[in-house]
Amino acid sequence: MAVLEIRTVPDPVLKEVSQPVDQVDDDLRQLMDDMLQTMYAADGIGLAAIQVGVAKRVIVMDLAGPDEEAQPRYFVNPVLSDPSDTLKPYEEGCLSVPTVYDEVERPDRIRIRYLDYDGNPQDEIAEGMFAVCIQHEMDHLEGVLFIDYLSRLKRQRAVQKVKKVEKSKGRDAA
């Protein structure tokens, strides 16, 4: 497994719409394994393939707490439907927008259909943090970042903050 580079704003690849996957094969499973390793290395709970520069409709996730055993999840060609009418605010962050957190309102319950790691069709209801995370990651597949839900001023400040953080990382590496 490999740790991949996570793209950060304002990288234009993050605005691309991801394409459906034709089949779940060993190459795709390798990508999902690498994505999971990358997500763990960055202390994240979810990662979409576009965040590592691959425009495929693939998401990995693990919502296990720090004292719990890992619970990796894989979503290929996910489709959301039947959102609840109840919106809940959650403070969100993103590996592609490091150090920035803000509140976003999303439906607190949603249905998700997808193919799992082995290519088997799945259909389940997501609630709570699972619902928030899957909707956040699904947005990535459509070229949407959580900061797109914020005011223009907050969004601009977030991008400037990430640019500053990334620039300082570059200086530290040099």
Side-chain angles (χ1 to χ4, degrees), residues 70-130:
Q71 299 169 23
R73 305 277 314 263
Y74 308 88
F75 305 88
V76 177
N77 295 336
V79 175
L80 299 180
S81 63
D82 305 326
S84 69
D85 293 331
T86 306
L87 298 180
K88 276 194 133 172
Y90 285 92
E91 185 174 77
E92 294 187 23
C94 181
L95 296 176
S96 291
V97 192
T99 73
V100 175
Y101 300 89
D102 213 314
E103 204 168 82
V104 176
E105 279 192 343
R106 297 185 187 271
D108 69 346
R109 183 175 183 275
I110 197 155
R111 176 181 298 276
I112 178 169
R113 291 182 179 96
Y114 61 97
L115 300 177
D116 65 16
Y117 189 82
D118 297 312
N120 299 314
Q122 303 293 327
D123 184 344
E124 62 183 294
I125 300 295
E127 295 181 295
M129 181 55 87
F130 179 28

